[in-house]
Amino acid sequence: MVARRFVVRQGGGGGGGGEAEEHEVEYDTEHGLDILRLQIFSLTSVPPELQKIVVEADGSVVDDGTDLEAISEGLRLVAITGEEEEAEAAAAAEAARAQEKSDEELARMIQAEEEALLLQQYSIRNDGGEEFRERVEPYMHQVLMYEDPMRQEAARKTVPMDELQEKALVSLAKEGNFSPSKDEEDHAFLLQLLFWFKQSFRWVNAPPCDSCGRETFNVGMGTALPSEIKFGANRVEIYRCNYCSSTTRFPRYNDPYKKLGKDAVENGPIALHSTVEVLDMKLVWWNKKLDYVIAISKDGVRDVTKRYTRKWHEVLSRRIITSEDTVSAILSSITGKYRSGLSIDGLTALENRDKKESEELSKAAYLEVDTSISLPGRQSGSVEWRKARLELSQVESLACSSCPARKCVDAHVSKIYDALSALLSHFCDGDIPKERVIEVFDSLKCLMQNLKDAKFKSRRATLDKKTQLVFEEIFPSVERLLCAMSLKAELGTDGKCSVTTVGNAVHTSLALPVAMDVVDEILSNYKSNAVCTKGHQFPRGNRLCSGSVLASGEQLPIGIATAAFDGIRSSKWEEPDGAKGCWIIYRMLDGQTCELDSYDLMSANDVPERDPMDWVLEGSTDGGSTWNTIDARSSVIFDSRFYRKTFTVDKRYKANAFRFRFLRVRESNGNPRFQIGSIDLYGKST
């Protein structure tokens, strides 16, 4: 519930001439859009069904999905004309036809489900469900190993908790959330845990040779030794080296305690299935004809197959181990066995959760499939292996066909650029020798590395006497840089100077990698004599920041559009289908305007074939409704990875939005993707 004051303008600015009338509306968002329409009706006499309400700031139409707490206060009322009314009626009729079609499809699905259940009675095995029980219940023993305190402690020692917590908070901060709730923080931490797990533990198709470390190939199976069986390795594979012909035993362990030992990297997943970079595993394209998907935890077992299919009637026709009633009875029996020692309160909480999940599952199989989303497949293992298992994705990417507008949280980037640009100007104006400049930036780099290595919630680095003397000579510039990173210098009673965080430690976590990358680039330029002339040097002042970004597509979760503006070299914007054309729009903050004078593009970390080669830069004065070309480039080649190029904009054009239309990448044959490491726009905003 938020009290809002809207200014609604009616008339004016159109073909009818005349000045717009303004009406002030005091409104409580708790009441919903219908009440707002009635309030506007009382002021304008335009009936609610003929009102078209437009947000003046961005031209969007206010509807039931609009966040009335977030939109700007300026609204424009457009009375719907006869033609528009007819168009809306036609749209409503089309929606009704679609609903009718959807109802027919639902009826057909239910009928097919009933037929499948009828046929199932003649196909199932008459063993009272014993085979099903024998296949499910052993997994409970496997899951309960994860409740063992010794194994849990081994897992906690393996996971870099502090590092992942920092990354989780930084990921939220990049979305503008610097004070997350406990649930938000836990969810972000789990995502970072999945990413870490994916990078730290890998599935092994063929282990390296024990003798020479080279490639091997499978020659069959071996007999498990008692020491291997002890840790669940009932399956032992034998491999022969392609070079020295030595054989290598490879037991597939199923005990997390063993996996967390020295062989951890070689033995695949532990508890969380992290084969893809998404948390919701039902959003994965497996393309496998699964019959049963059983969720197992210490609190029991549940059949969740409906959550993973939109063809439930087809799955039913394949479920012939036992009847559906017997499946439910066996799972309930197993669950009851493992809940027998719980308190009444504990049982009640679990039963409430079960009820909620049952309601969800009963609807899951009938949800419509969103065919506009291309789902990813399994990503661990070689392409050949995944192809053989039918676990490649539909397009081998998780691509968004339409991305949300994202806010750039990058004011710290511009502040760091300003501070280091001023420091470089100080050196240039004073004709400071190159060797001295390199010494200063080496000292800065060392300080930042020490801060990075410290625990993020209590960052502190003490300066040695030499570094302290260096910084004293340029203290105003250094102080400005520290402030940009939410750091401050303190002088101790012993005369030693130290640098520590100020305020929310996440601000420093967000800014420190940016400053380190900039200092690295400055050092690289000086050491290679690639220092640019004034106006084209890096970094420069007047970098645009805090705008919003919209793109034609993006690679979730690590190639999102705002990554091009976050100032971090290792991140990038990646467009899965952008090799032959894609776009990205940058809108200024709060309708500000800017006369762009230059921009930088930096190549990404890998795959030169994805670099942009031809593009057009356009500006808009109306937030993106119309565009004018202000720069165009063709046949541009980035000489290496993380290579920065500066482009001057000769056409002066004051705009509140800018659009890059990337027309072609360096090599599009066999490569559908586009990527760019960073985009920096420069100009004075007004």
Side-chain angles (χ1 to χ4, degrees), residues 156-259:
R156 277 190 286 269
K157 288 180 178 178
T158 304
V159 177
M161 302 289 288
D162 194 65
E163 176 188 336
L164 297 184
Q165 186 182 12
E166 180 182 12
K167 287 183 176 180
L169 292 172
V170 166
S171 70
L172 292 167
K174 286 184 176 180
E175 298 173 1
N177 186 354
F178 286 89
S179 301
S181 66
K182 180 69 164 58
D183 285 347
E184 289 171 330
E185 188 174 337
D186 287 348
H187 184 269
F189 180 86
L190 181 56
L191 278 174
Q192 293 302 323
L193 179 62
L194 284 171
F195 299 153
W196 168 82
F197 185 85
K198 179 179 171 62
Q199 293 163 1
S200 302
F201 298 85
R202 64 181 183 272
W203 178 263
V204 175
N205 295 319
C209 174
D210 279 345
S211 298
C212 68
R214 292 179 165 181
E215 295 177 356
T216 62
F217 64 95
N218 183 263
V219 293
M221 304 295 294
T223 302
L225 302 174
S227 60
E228 295 165 341
I229 294 174
K230 178 182 176 182
F231 294 103
N234 296 312
R235 176 187 176 92
V236 177
E237 300 161 6
I238 306 298
Y239 293 84
R240 178 166 286 121
C241 182
N242 290 327
Y243 299 91
C244 71
S245 298
S246 297
T247 58
T248 296
R249 291 174 57 83
F250 191 72
R252 295 281 182 181
Y253 291 110
N254 284 303
D255 188 320
Y257 189 72
K258 181 65 174 177
K259 292 178 182 180

Side-chain angles (χ1 to χ4, degrees), residues 14-302:
E19 294 184 0
E21 296 181 11
E22 289 192 359
H23 307 279
E24 292 188 4
V25 179
E26 300 289 339
Y27 170 72
D28 195 317
T29 56
E30 183 184 27
H31 296 152
L33 180 58
D34 290 341
I35 299 300
L36 177 61
R37 290 189 186 278
L38 287 172
Q39 287 183 258
I40 293 174
F41 171 54
S42 68
L43 295 170
T44 65
S45 299
V46 178
E49 66 272 13
L50 296 181
Q51 293 176 10
K52 181 179 179 181
I53 306 171
V54 178
V55 181
E56 291 192 316
D58 59 13
S60 61
V61 176
V62 177
D63 57 26
D64 291 332
T66 302
D67 185 352
L68 295 172
E69 297 181 10
I71 61 174
S72 58
E73 67 174 24
L75 304 177
R76 179 170 292 279
L77 176 65
V78 182
I80 298 176
T81 64
E83 290 181 358
E84 289 174 316
E85 195 169 359
E86 289 177 10
E88 290 204 352
E94 180 63 30
R97 285 193 292 273
Q99 181 62 46
E100 185 177 344
K101 181 180 178 183
S102 177
D103 291 343
E104 290 175 1
E105 290 176 352
L106 178 60
R108 283 197 294 270
M109 289 173 66
I110 293 174
Q111 182 179 353
E113 181 181 326
E114 291 172 350
E115 292 172 355
L117 283 170
L118 182 63
L119 291 172
Q120 190 188 69
Q121 297 176 26
Y122 303 99
S123 306
I124 59 174
R125 298 159 198 171
N126 296 316
D127 64 351
E130 281 308 304
E131 180 184 348
F132 182 79
R133 180 185 290 274
E134 288 170 2
R135 292 173 71 170
V136 172
E137 195 157 22
Y139 286 104
M140 281 299 299
H141 305 297
Q142 180 79 23
V143 168
L144 289 175
M145 283 197 296
Y146 300 111
E147 300 301 312
D148 175 46
M150 179 183 70
R151 291 176 171 88
Q152 290 182 349
E153 182 61 25
R156 277 190 286 269
K157 288 180 178 178
T158 304
V159 177
M161 302 289 288
D162 194 65
E163 176 188 336
L164 297 184
Q165 186 182 12
E166 180 182 12
K167 287 183 176 180
L169 292 172
V170 166
S171 70
L172 292 167
K174 286 184 176 180
E175 298 173 1
N177 186 354
F178 286 89
S179 301
S181 66
K182 180 69 164 58
D183 285 347
E184 289 171 330
E185 188 174 337
D186 287 348
H187 184 269
F189 180 86
L190 181 56
L191 278 174
Q192 293 302 323
L193 179 62
L194 284 171
F195 299 153
W196 168 82
F197 185 85
K198 179 179 171 62
Q199 293 163 1
S200 302
F201 298 85
R202 64 181 183 272
W203 178 263
V204 175
N205 295 319
C209 174
D210 279 345
S211 298
C212 68
R214 292 179 165 181
E215 295 177 356
T216 62
F217 64 95
N218 183 263
V219 293
M221 304 295 294
T223 302
L225 302 174
S227 60
E228 295 165 341
I229 294 174
K230 178 182 176 182
F231 294 103
N234 296 312
R235 176 187 176 92
V236 177
E237 300 161 6
I238 306 298
Y239 293 84
R240 178 166 286 121
C241 182
N242 290 327
Y243 299 91
C244 71
S245 298
S246 297
T247 58
T248 296
R249 291 174 57 83
F250 191 72
R252 295 281 182 181
Y253 291 110
N254 284 303
D255 188 320
Y257 189 72
K258 181 65 174 177
K259 292 178 182 180
L260 290 167
K262 64 181 181 64
D263 298 325
V265 174
E266 298 178 352
N267 278 282
I270 299 176
L272 287 172
H273 196 313
S274 181
T275 60
V276 292
E277 293 166 327
V278 288
L279 183 58
D280 192 344
M281 286 301 299
K282 66 178 178 289
L283 297 179
V284 179
W285 176 260
W286 289 106
N287 195 26
K288 292 178 71 69
K289 293 186 182 301
L290 298 173
D291 302 336
Y292 299 89
V293 181
I294 309 298
I296 303 172
S297 75
K298 66 181 179 63
D299 299 316
V301 288
R302 175 173 285 275

Side-chain angles (χ1 to χ4, degrees), residues 349-609:
L350 289 173
E351 286 166 0
N352 289 336
R353 188 185 72 182
D354 291 346
K355 182 181 178 182
K356 183 178 179 181
E357 188 166 23
S358 295
E359 292 171 354
E360 178 193 324
L361 288 169
S362 67
K363 301 174 184 176
Y366 308 116
L367 296 176
E368 290 187 20
V369 180
D370 187 352
T371 56
S372 67
I373 298 178
S374 300
L375 300 180
R378 183 177 187 138
Q379 295 188 359
S380 61
S382 67
V383 172
E384 294 77 12
W385 183 74
R386 287 181 286 147
K387 186 176 181 180
R389 292 168 58 92
L390 302 177
E391 293 177 354
L392 287 175
S393 69
Q394 292 161 300
V395 293
E396 272 299 273
S397 69
L398 177 56
C400 258
S401 57
S402 57
C403 304
R406 301 183 186 276
K407 175 73 181 296
C408 288
V409 181
D410 64 337
H412 59 285
V413 180
S414 295
K415 290 177 181 178
I416 289 168
Y417 282 22
D418 288 343
L420 289 171
S421 174
L423 183 56
L424 285 173
S425 296
H426 167 76
F427 290 144
C428 290
D429 294 342
D431 289 328
I432 306 298
K434 184 178 81 170
E435 293 74 18
R436 180 59 173 166
V437 175
I438 291 175
E439 181 185 1
V440 170
F441 281 103
D442 273 334
S443 297
L444 275 174
K445 180 178 178 179
C446 182
L447 168 64
M448 292 176 185
Q449 187 61 53
N450 290 338
L451 288 165
K452 182 178 181 295
D453 293 340
K455 289 187 178 294
F456 83 98
K457 288 185 177 179
S458 55
R459 277 202 171 94
R460 179 179 292 273
T462 301
L463 306 183
D464 58 41
K465 185 168 289 187
K466 180 182 177 182
T467 303
Q468 189 170 335
L469 289 173
V470 169
F471 287 176
E472 284 175 358
E473 296 177 16
I474 52 169
F475 185 72
S477 296
V478 171
E479 186 178 37
R480 184 177 179 184
L481 175 61
L482 295 178
C483 183
M485 294 188 287
S486 297
L487 295 166
K488 66 177 181 180
E490 293 179 338
L491 190 64
T493 54
D494 57 359
K496 291 183 178 180
C497 184
S498 60
V499 174
T500 187
T501 53
V502 180
N504 191 337
V506 179
H507 288 283
T508 302
S509 297
L510 198 61
L512 193 56
V514 177
M516 293 180 73
D517 283 349
V518 177
V519 167
D520 265 345
E521 192 168 343
I522 291 170
L523 281 168
S524 177
N525 289 340
Y526 267 94
K527 291 176 180 178
S528 62
N529 294 314
V531 181
C532 300
T533 58
K534 195 168 184 178
H536 287 77
Q537 71 178 28
F538 176 80
R540 306 191 295 285
N542 293 329
R543 177 188 177 276
L544 304 189
C545 65
S546 303
S548 62
V549 174
L550 184 66
S552 56
E554 58 187 13
Q555 176 75 38
L556 298 174
I558 56 174
I560 63 173
T562 46
F565 300 89
D566 66 8
I568 298 175
R569 187 166 54 187
S570 59
S571 65
K572 61 185 175 184
W573 168 45
E574 185 172 343
E575 224 282 25
D577 302 305
K580 295 182 179 178
C582 59
W583 51 264
I584 188 167
I585 296 172
Y586 181 93
R587 288 193 176 94
M588 298 286 290
L589 175 67
D590 295 334
Q592 295 177 356
T593 60
C594 174
E595 195 174 84
L596 211 63
D597 56 54
S598 64
Y599 61 93
D600 291 351
L601 298 183
M602 176 186 277
S603 58
N605 63 317
D606 60 4
V607 195
E609 293 81 7

